[in-house]
Structure formats: C-alpha cells, structure tokens
C-alpha cells in the first residue's frame, strides 16, 4: 500500500482571531491606547527630541520639527495596519513611546509586533518589558497562533531584545528591503501559541516585585528564564 501523503498537521477547533482595533491594555507600569496625533504627538516629540539615533533603523525619521512628526503620525494612524499604540508610564503619567501591531493576518492567525520606538527614559526598564508582555499576552489570548518580530539584521540591539523576550530565531531574509536608500537584510523571530504558557510564566517571574532588590536591580534575568522556551537562538549574539 502506498504511503499516505504528509500534508501537515490539521488545525481543528480554531477560528480566526479579532483585529486589535480600539484595543487598550493596562499593566502595573504602563498603559497602552490607540495612538492619536492630536493627543500624543507633541508629548512624544518632546520625549524623542535630541535622540536621533532612535530612528537609525526605522523607515521614517528623524523628524526636524514637531509639526513634521505630527503630520507623519496623523497619516500613519489613518491606516489600520500597522496599528499603533501610545505607551504611557503610569507612575509618572507621561507618554514615553509607541509601538505597533502589524502584518495583521487573522485568517492565518499571524501578527507581528514592530515599529517599537521607546524614549530613553522607557528603555531598559520593567515598563518596557511589560509593554511587550501585554501585547504578546493579548495576541495569544485573542487566538493568534504566531507572533512575529522582524528587524534590520544589522540592529543587534533589536535582535538581542527579541531573544531576551523569548522569540526564537528563524533566519535572515537577504536583500529583503530598501530602506532610506540602503539595503536591508531582515532577521526573523517568532513565538508560537504552544510556547506561550511557559513564556507567560517566565514573564510573571521576572515582573514580580520580588524579583527586584531595593535598588531596582533584577535578581533573575529574563533572558535566562526565556532560554528554556526558545527553540532556536540567534547565532549573531554568540560572537
């Protein structure tokens, strides 16, 4: 008898998840709401002003004026993909960054986090990590099967952040784009739904107040906790 064809695992009991339209998220350190130029552009321009390096690997920026930033944000948020969020530092009551969910494909159960623009005061803080956790948690709770992270392959800081957050390395797409007149090879990372329960536990351990000493120093590193879940590590980070 001829061997049966292997056509892939059948997906049963799954329905396409919703889009993130109108989504707000609240955590202990941050709250996220849909980005709005009239409400957020002026404050975010001040938070980013003087830090042109934030735009090095972005397809836009840096912005010479608040008005040009406002225009870009107004046009960007008129689309529904990427879908942008403003990030508010709850303790200080300040808008400190923005990010987006993009390449939103409910029919495939796939969604990507990107356009992550954190002001210096948000970078390397529990609030920054909680921002990423809240979005990932929403995606898997909503029913997405795959949560992606892509970045310029030269952006080692972004590749390091992806790995720390538990994304598994999937390779580099060569000559993937031309951005600001320059070649971009793109590094790909992803988390899938079967990995989420263990990653959620790792985030819970790291974000727990007991994981920080009186000076705010972490006791356990998130990268060590998520390493137990990742199926592939980024070879560029071993050098």
């Amino acid at each position: 008898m001829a061997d049966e064809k292997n056509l892939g695992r059948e997906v049963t009991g799954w329905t396409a998840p919703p889009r993130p339209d109108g989504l707000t998220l609240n955590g202990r350190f941050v709250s996220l709401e849909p980005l709005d130029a009239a409400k957020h552009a002026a404050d975010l321009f001040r938070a980013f002003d003087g830090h042109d390096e934030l735009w090095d690997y972005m397809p836009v920026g840096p912005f010479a004026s608040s008005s040009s930033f406002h225009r870009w944000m107004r046009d960007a948020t008129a689309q529904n993909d990427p879908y942008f969020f403003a990030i508010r530092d709850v303790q200080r009551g300040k808008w400190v960054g923005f990010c987006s969910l993009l390449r939103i494909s409910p029919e495939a159960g796939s969604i990507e986090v990107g356009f992550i623009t954190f002001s210096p005061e948000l970078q390397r803080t529990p609030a920054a990590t909680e921002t990423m956790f809240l979005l990932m948690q929403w995606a898997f709770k909503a029913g997405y099967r795959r949560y992606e992270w892509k970045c310029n392959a030269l952006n080692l800081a972004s590749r390091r952040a992806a790995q720390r957050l538990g994304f598994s390395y999937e390779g580099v797409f060569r000559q993937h784009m031309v951005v600001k007149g320059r070649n971009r090879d793109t590094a790909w990372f992803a988390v899938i739904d079967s990995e989420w329960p263990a990653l959620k536990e790792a985030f819970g351990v790291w974000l727990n107040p007991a994981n920080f000493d009186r000076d705010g120093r972490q006791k356990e590193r998130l990268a060590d906790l998520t390493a137990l879940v990742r199926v592939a590590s980024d070879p560029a980070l071993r050098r």
Side-chain angles (χ1 to χ4, degrees), residues 29-30 40 42-51 53-54 87-98 117-131:
F29 300 107
V30 294
H40 304 120
D43 287 341
L44 288 175
F45 181 79
R46 284 192 289 270
F48 301 149
D49 192 28
H51 301 283
E53 70 281 358
L54 297 175
I87 305 164
R88 182 175 180 268
D89 183 307
V90 171
Q91 296 177 343
R92 290 180 289 177
K94 297 178 64 177
W95 299 104
V96 290
F98 69 86
T117 313
F118 289 173
S119 66
E121 58 189 325
L122 177 58
Q123 294 173 13
R124 301 177 183 274
T125 66
T129 298
E130 186 182 56
T131 297

Side-chain angles (χ1 to χ4, degrees), residues 153 156 159-160 169 233-239:
L156 292 181
R159 294 173 73 161
R160 192 171 295 112
Y169 174 74
S233 297
D234 187 343
L237 304 180
R238 298 175 191 158
R239 298 169 188 166

Side-chain angles (χ1 to χ4, degrees), residues 158-221:
S158 185
R159 294 173 73 161
R160 192 171 295 112
Q163 184 159 290
R164 173 180 176 269
L165 293 166
F167 288 81
S168 292
Y169 174 74
E170 294 186 336
V172 171
F173 278 37
R174 298 173 300 160
Q175 295 190 184
H176 181 222
M177 298 180 184
V178 176
V179 178
K180 295 178 179 175
R182 295 179 182 273
N183 176 68
R184 169 173 150 162
D185 297 345
T186 298
W188 289 53
F189 301 81
V191 174
I192 60 174
D193 53 1
S194 60
E195 297 160 354
W196 173 241
L199 280 180
K200 182 179 180 181
E201 184 175 342
F203 277 107
V205 169
W206 192 84
L207 288 167
N208 191 309
N211 189 44
F212 297 89
D213 64 20
R214 291 181 179 180
D215 298 318
R217 291 188 294 261
Q218 64 183 350
K219 297 176 183 177
E220 291 200 66
R221 298 170 65 244

Side-chain angles (χ1 to χ4, degrees), residues 47-97:
F48 301 149
D49 192 28
H51 301 283
D52 286 356
E53 70 281 358
L54 297 175
W55 308 101
D56 282 351
Y57 295 106
M58 293 293 185
V60 299
F63 297 91
S65 66
S66 179
S67 59
S68 63
F69 183 59
H70 185 282
R71 282 194 301 274
W72 168 79
M73 188 179 293
R74 181 195 60 205
D75 293 343
T77 54
Q79 310 168 46
N80 62 7
D81 192 344
Y83 192 83
F84 287 93
F85 298 89
I87 305 164
R88 182 175 180 268
D89 183 307
V90 171
Q91 296 177 343
R92 290 180 289 177
K94 297 178 64 177
W95 299 104
V96 290

Side-chain angles (χ1 to χ4, degrees), residues 8-21:
R9 176 174 57 86
E10 187 175 358
V11 178
T12 59
W14 176 80
T15 57
R19 288 181 46 84
D21 303 333

